[in-house]
């Protein structure tokens, strides 16, 4: 088991990777706890829950909605959760986002923690204290910066994940590797079989590396005023692709990384061989899907992105596999690059 | 004009009392601004607004709802407000609460400021960085701690307030005086006419004193872990009375202060003459209305209060007119006191 700590002023956030998830019940208070989960997770793990009140959400992105947050809060109120209460999210990114957001606004903020059940949330969503819901089809536009006190990432829970979700998470793992850790890139390249077989030991290792990297970034820049932006690699085009196609998040980000790698090459930041290396890795796990989005639609979708300020967007380029840089580019430049590329 | 600054770490919140409200448009950015207001305020002051997008809410407590916050955020999105944007609330407590809450969760927090148009919000609601909405009939249960960058309190705007709203605000002014400033108690006692006539000079003076006191409390305890609780004087019973009767906030708080003064007397904290002084002041402005709430209902309403932790409630007692103390009391004790009192 690896323990990683994110230190942000008043709150220490502890992330335990490789720990048995049921340990969470020794770490949370004995009462005044409410569990937020979804149907899929509840069906598998609900039988191990203690006798806390449970709110069971419908699986899927549609539950990331302000109305659902309102309903969760109403259940909290009915369960008598007070200021000293604790919200425990048990689930993937959606559950952690909704649970964390609800906890952060309930009575203007109460304690929370997560058991992170998907690869996507173990490597990314549950780490770093961003919570949020969608508005219409604009993703994560409403939310808070709010650190969970504790997160358990138990890779044995990944065994029961559907392939679609598992590989969606793998794309985010590759993202982290690409922006900050060449050793992690190599590990993923050289352990194809271990990844496909979901080997617990190997997953514990790579998830820890990913969490450690993200924790170091977030500790330095909790509120995304600078450094943290590199975590958005693949996400500018990726969010737009996700909105337009409905791809799972990781698959959309994979296509976003492909575009960002091409753009980095075109700008002269990335060598041709490194570009090939990145794209080959994405292809080796079948992460790149076909999609058709017109340049005009891409432009309008990118312009809903919250990373935008005025006409400029902080875009994450790669220098090599493992090193990123952030640079402001105009919306025009992003559109033009995409237009040129789809016309090829 | 008086300028009062609340300093909480990263953000300085400036409160200008007695300033012409239209100065706000010199202090906010030139673009990327959205105004949140309500119909009543818009009908009087809308003609002075620059060409910013405006969201007009229905007046009244019902607009303090998570769904309304969602709709406001959707309007912000449509208006193209980005991370560097600015939300300007122009209105009373409801507008400031909704605008501040929306600003604090939109893209995980953007800048905001208020023009505070009611006496209640000038002396209380717009000061201190609490935002919030109701859930069912439980008040302010969802929200954030989020400081506005600037607040303008222009007492000339109070001239057009309906009596009901004006006197509701007066009750909060009296509350501030009672917990922290005997000189302010005296000023209110001795200037009955100036208050009834809504004299700008006098109002500027007493609002400044109230804001200055609240600012000093909030600067020391932004997130209500201790000292700030004294601001809840009259609010434990007051919130319950508000929920049960639908009284305007200040009138409910006035009745809550009456109960709290009686309770303080019963506990031996407050002298009989001081109790009389407080109740006479409330009566002199007709702030005490008749209501009938059964002890059982009062008990259940108090137990929804977010100031509760477990069975204990931090209750604000008075020592004299101008000095408060906070003490934990059991829900049972609160119920018993109320029961005894209504049976008299």
């Amino acid at each position: 088991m690896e323990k990683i700590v994110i230190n942000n002023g008043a709150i220490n956030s502890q992330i335990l990777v490789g720990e048995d998830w049921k340990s969470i019940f020794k770490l949370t208070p004995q009462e005044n706890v409410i569990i937020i989960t979804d149907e899929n997770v509840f069906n598998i793990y609900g039988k191990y829950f203690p006798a806390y009140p449970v709110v069971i959400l419908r699986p899927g992105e549609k539950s990331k909605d302000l109305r659902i947050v309102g309903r969760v809060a109403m259940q909290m109120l009915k369960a008598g959760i007070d200021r000293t209460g604790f919200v425990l999210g048990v689930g993937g990114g959606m559950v952690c986002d909704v649970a964390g957001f609800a906890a952060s606004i309930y009575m203007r903020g109460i304690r929370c923690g997560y058991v992170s059940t998907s690869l996507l949330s173990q490597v990314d969503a549950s780490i770093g204290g961003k919570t949020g819901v969608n508005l219409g089809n604009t993703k994560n536009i409403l939310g808070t910066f709010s650190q969970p006190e504790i997160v358990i990432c138990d890779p044995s829970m990944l065994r029961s994940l559907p392939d679609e979700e598992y590989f969606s998470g793998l794309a985010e793992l590759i993202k982290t590797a690409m922006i900050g850790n060449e050793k992690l890139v190599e590990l993923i390249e050289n352990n194809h079989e271990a990844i496909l077989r979901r080997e617990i030991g190997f997953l514990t290792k790579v998830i820890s590396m990913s969490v450690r990297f993200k924790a170091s970034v977030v500790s330095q820049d909790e509120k995304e005023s600078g450094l943290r932006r590199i975590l958005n690699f693949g996400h500018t085009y990726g969010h737009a692709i996700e909105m337009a196609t409905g791809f799972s998040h990781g698959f959309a980000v994979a296509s976003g990384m492909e575009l960002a790698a091409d753009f980095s090459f075109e700008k002269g930041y990335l060598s041709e061989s490194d570009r090939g290396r990145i794209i080959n890795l994405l292809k080796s796990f079948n992460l790149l899907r076909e999609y058709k989005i017109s340049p005009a639609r891409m432009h309008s979708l990118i312009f809903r992105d919250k990373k935008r300020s005025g006409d400029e967007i902080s875009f994450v380029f790669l220098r090599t596999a493992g090193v990123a840089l952030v640079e402001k580019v105009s919306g025009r430049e992003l559109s033009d690059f995409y237009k040129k590329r789809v016309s090829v």
Side-chain angles (χ1 to χ4, degrees), chain A:
Chain A
M1 196 267 285
E2 284 227 40
K3 179 159 135 183
I4 297 142
V5 176
I6 299 182
N7 198 321
N8 278 119
I11 289 184
N12 265 348
S13 188
Q14 297 202 342
I15 301 137
L16 309 181
V17 182
E19 175 74 19
D20 175 14
W21 73 274
K22 291 184 287 298
S23 313
I24 194 75
F25 301 118
K26 291 178 213 144
L27 300 166
T28 51
Q30 291 308 296
E31 49 183 25
N32 212 356
V33 176
I34 190 165
I35 298 178
I36 318 294
T37 187
D38 71 21
E39 285 163 11
N40 295 341
V41 173
F42 186 76
N43 288 340
I44 303 176
Y45 301 106
K47 56 178 174 279
Y48 303 108
F49 292 178
Y52 298 137
V54 182
V55 182
I56 303 172
L57 307 177
R58 285 214 186 143
E61 194 70 11
K62 279 206 174 150
S63 290
K64 279 185 61 166
D65 186 287
L66 203 56
R67 269 166 302 190
I68 302 295
V69 173
R71 276 185 228 157
V72 167
M74 188 55 95
Q75 293 303 315
M76 290 164 68
L77 199 57
K78 284 186 181 158
I81 303 297
D82 69 22
R83 279 191 176 181
T84 64
F86 192 100
V87 176
L88 175 61
V90 181
M94 178 279 283
V95 165
C96 297
D97 269 350
V98 169
F101 189 26
S104 73
I105 63 171
Y106 186 77
M107 299 187 176
R108 299 195 184 89
I110 67 170
R111 301 162 68 198
C112 84
Y114 311 134
V115 170
S116 200
T117 63
S118 75
L119 182 55
L120 185 62
S121 72
Q122 290 190 4
V123 300
D124 190 52
S126 67
I127 315 301
K130 279 188 181 182
T131 76
V133 296
N134 308 327
L135 197 60
N137 64 355
T138 309
K139 285 185 57 76
N140 296 323
I141 203 84
L142 298 180
T144 51
F145 289 101
S146 175
Q147 295 288 348
E149 283 183 20
I150 187 148
V151 182
I152 290 189
C153 301
D154 179 352
S156 73
M157 298 181 103
L158 306 180
R159 298 235 145 184
S160 57
L161 274 191
D163 280 353
E164 174 79 11
E165 271 196 66
Y166 181 72
F167 287 101
S168 176
L170 181 61
E172 283 283 355
L173 182 68
I174 291 174
K175 179 208 77 177
T176 310
M178 288 298 169
I179 58 176
N181 193 336
E182 204 209 340
K183 195 166 174 315
L184 183 52
V185 177
E186 279 171 19
L187 271 173
I188 299 169
E189 285 171 332
N190 299 334
N191 291 276
H192 204 265
E193 278 308 301
I195 289 171
L196 295 186
R197 281 200 309 271
R198 310 190 188 183
E199 274 180 17
I200 309 292
F202 180 76
L203 288 174
T204 300
K205 186 172 180 179
V206 292
I207 293 166
S208 295
M209 287 170 79
S210 178
V211 169
R212 204 171 288 284
F213 177 76
K214 185 158 181 187
S216 76
V217 170
V218 169
S219 290
Q220 290 169 70
D221 176 25
E222 187 184 13
K223 296 197 173 171
E224 197 163 331
S225 41
L227 179 61
R228 186 165 180 160
R229 292 197 179 123
I230 67 164
L231 299 172
N232 293 320
F233 175 57
H235 282 62
T236 299
Y237 287 118
H239 267 168
I241 294 167
E242 188 173 356
M243 284 190 264
T245 63
F247 287 179
S248 298
H249 180 68
F251 288 90
V253 169
S255 289
M257 288 194 276
E258 182 190 26
L259 283 167
D262 287 348
F263 198 11
S264 303
F265 170 70
E266 152 130 348
K267 296 271 270 189
Y269 296 141
L270 188 69
S271 71
E272 180 144 24
S273 69
D274 267 1
R275 174 174 71 156
R277 184 179 177 189
I278 292 157
I279 291 170
N280 283 339
L281 184 57
L282 295 170
K283 281 189 177 159
S284 73
F285 291 104
N286 295 315
L287 297 175
L288 297 178
R289 291 183 171 163
E290 297 282 316
Y291 59 90
K292 270 206 165 152
I293 304 169
S294 72
R297 178 131 169 76
M298 181 63 92
H299 179 84
S300 92
L301 287 169
I302 283 176
F303 262 68
R304 287 207 209 133
D305 197 291
K306 61 182 177 311
K307 286 173 280 300
R308 178 172 73 81
S309 63
D311 182 54
E312 299 215 300
I313 288 178
S314 296
F315 193 85
V316 187
F317 294 97
L318 284 193
R319 278 204 186 282
T320 63
V323 181
L325 80 157
V326 179
E327 205 180 79
K328 293 216 168 190
V329 296
S330 69
R332 172 63 38 214
E333 210 182 341
L334 278 177
S335 296
D336 286 352
F337 171 72
Y338 181 74
K339 199 185 286 179
K340 203 166 73 186
R341 196 166 168 292
V342 292
S343 67
V344 174

